[in-house]
Every structure is written in C-alpha cells, then in structure tokens.
Amino acid sequence: MSKDPHQSDGIRLQKVLSQAGVASRRAAEEMILQGRITVDGQVVRKLGTRVDPQKQTIHADGELVITDPAKHIVLALNKPVGMVSTMSDPEGRPCLSDVLADYPERLYHVGRLDIDTSGLLLLTNDGELANRLSHPSYEVEKTYVARLHGEVRPGVRKQLLRGIELEDGPIKVDSFKIKEQYGDITTVEITVHEGRNRLVRRLMEEVGHPVRELVRVRFGPIRLERLQPGTVRRIKGNDLTALYKAVDL
C-alpha cells in the first residue's frame, strides 16, 4: 500500500465508498468490518481508516471502486470503414484524432481494426488497462459479425472450433454461429480471444469463405449497441467496473 491505511489525513474510507455509489455510509461501514474492502491490495477492517482516492486503489468485493471518473476515461468508438486505427496518418486518411476533439487527454487505442473493418474500438487514458485488454493471457473475448462469400456448411463450424493452422500459429474460435443465409452470402457471428492482425479475415479465407464485410460488435463486456459510425460514447458505471474486472484490475 502506498500509504499507511490508518493515516490521519485523507478522507474516511466509508465516505469515499458512499460517494462512489458503492453503498450507503452505514452499509459501507459493515462492508469494511466484514473485510470486503481492500486499499492498494490490503484488506482494511478499521472504520477510522482514511484514504487518498486520488492516489490509492480501492476494491469492494473484488471490484474496482471508481472514485474519480476523470482518472478512468474509456471510450467506445464505432470506427467506420476507411478510418485507420492510429491517432494520425501521414497519408491524410481519416484517423482516430478526427473524432476525439472533446478529449484532450492522451488516449491509447486498445488493439486495432484494419481499414476495411468497422465497429467497436476502445480507447482509454489508462495504459495498464489498455495493455491487459490487448494481452492474450487475459483472453478477453471479441465478437464480430461477418458477411461471407458462399454458403457455409455445418462442417466449417466444427473445423473452426477444433482449430485452424495459420502462418503465425494455430488458432481456434470460441464460438461460431450462422445468423442468416441469403443466396451465396452468409452472415455469421464469430467470437475469438486473440488479437492477431486481420485474424477473422485470415481464418475465414482459410476455410474457403472470404469476408465481404466485417464489424466488431463486442469487446469483453462492452457492446457496440446503437452507436453510430464515427461517434464515441463514454463507458461509465457498471460497464466500466466490468471492464476492469475482466482483466483483474
């Protein structure tokens, strides 16, 4: 812990919990006494504990307590086709900074979507969160909806779930669902937990069904929902807590 949890300065822990919306002050006191609150990784049971919510990390029942929303900026962007997943582009193509004028903070994009893929891209000012969401060891699921060439036979699903050998190593999908079949176009939903370059496109080409259109609709607990192309929304509340919990923060 970066400070003594029984320090005389700072704000009483139960007040911080109450202001963060975790529980009423009386209920927060009970949570402290029951050992359900940690500060910088250490269980705190003393009601007189004071903390600095600007500098210390608090968890309630294992979930991060967002004490200062400005410290935890996470944005969901619906990246349109034709936009590059970088803050600037030497070729002058549309890029992420074009839609982030209202956010002067330094933001990290969590992975990338290729220029021909649209959908959900996360950005955050929390470098550790960005790193963990991108790291394969945390196995954060990403779900895509793809329109494919050709009629997809049931054997393709079994093949993808069993695993495919690509040039950069084997990969298997977490789930594969056929959503619609119309003529020689099949719409499918694919979930993977790796973030390799153009992974879904390469997978589907390998099984004989090149991708016509590809949209990412979910990243971990965050969904694209009705977010319009080229616009962003701030991730807050339970969704923000769930995102941190997904990578053990």
Side-chain angles (χ1 to χ4, degrees):
M1 190 180 297
S2 59
K3 287 191 176 184
D4 184 339
H6 307 312
Q7 59 195 0
S8 59
D9 57 344
I11 306 171
R12 286 184 180 273
L13 181 55
Q14 57 264 43
K15 182 177 181 180
V16 172
L17 294 170
S18 176
Q19 291 177 337
V22 173
S24 68
R25 195 171 302 192
R26 181 65 62 84
E29 291 176 351
E30 289 298 319
M31 294 176 73
I32 293 169
L33 292 172
Q34 293 165 5
R36 295 162 59 189
I37 308 299
T38 64
V39 179
D40 290 342
Q42 295 184 21
V43 175
V44 175
R45 296 176 181 270
K46 185 176 180 180
L47 293 182
T49 299
R50 293 178 178 269
V51 296
D52 182 348
Q54 296 291 322
K55 298 179 179 179
Q56 294 179 281
T57 301
I58 303 168
H59 285 79
D61 292 332
E63 296 189 356
L64 179 69
V65 177
I66 306 297
T67 56
D68 180 6
K71 287 174 55 181
H72 303 278
I73 296 176
V74 179
L75 305 177
L77 164 67
N78 186 348
K79 187 194 86 67
V81 170
M83 175 179 283
V84 294
S85 298
T86 56
M87 290 299 178
S88 62
D89 183 67
E91 299 179 26
R93 295 171 296 184
C95 58
L96 301 180
S97 61
D98 295 336
V99 295
L100 297 174
D102 294 337
Y103 296 91
E105 299 85 359
R106 182 182 181 185
L107 297 173
Y108 306 89
H109 49 87
V110 181
R112 299 190 179 193
L113 293 175
D114 66 68
I115 194 168
D116 297 320
T117 299
S118 62
L120 181 60
L121 186 67
L122 298 181
L123 303 106
T124 178
N125 65 340
D126 188 331
E128 181 61 20
L129 176 64
N131 289 335
R132 293 196 183 195
L133 287 171
S134 302
H135 200 282
S137 66
Y138 289 94
E139 299 188 348
V140 179
E141 291 185 342
K142 279 80 75 174
T143 299
Y144 299 79
V145 172
R147 297 183 71 209
L148 309 175
H149 288 282
E151 180 180 350
V152 178
R153 303 295 184 183
V156 170
R157 177 179 180 274
K158 294 180 181 178
Q159 188 178 1
L160 290 167
L161 290 172
R162 187 169 57 246
I164 298 289
E165 186 72 36
L166 298 177
E167 65 271 16
D168 53 356
I171 178 68
K172 59 183 178 180
V173 304
D174 296 295
S175 68
F176 182 86
K177 301 175 184 177
I178 297 176
K179 296 177 67 69
E180 185 180 41
Q181 177 79 49
Y182 185 77
D184 66 344
I185 301 297
T186 304
T187 302
V188 301
E189 182 181 276
I190 306 165
T191 298
V192 295
H193 63 261
E194 292 195 41
R196 301 186 209 172
N197 185 41
R198 299 176 69 85
L199 177 59
V200 172
R201 292 181 183 276
R202 291 189 292 132
L203 267 175
M204 299 317 303
E205 189 166 351
E206 187 69 23
V207 296
H209 295 283
V211 172
R212 290 171 58 101
E213 297 177 21
L214 185 62
V215 182
R216 184 157 67 195
V217 297
R218 182 174 71 90
F219 197 123
I222 309 302
R223 296 184 178 275
L224 184 63
E225 297 177 339
R226 297 183 179 181
L227 188 63
Q228 295 299 304
T231 62
V232 299
R233 77 168 184 270
R234 181 85 175 263
I235 304 301
K236 300 179 180 178
N238 291 337
D239 284 343
L240 184 61
T241 299
L243 192 63
Y244 274 87
K245 186 175 182 180
V247 290
D248 300 330
L249 283 175

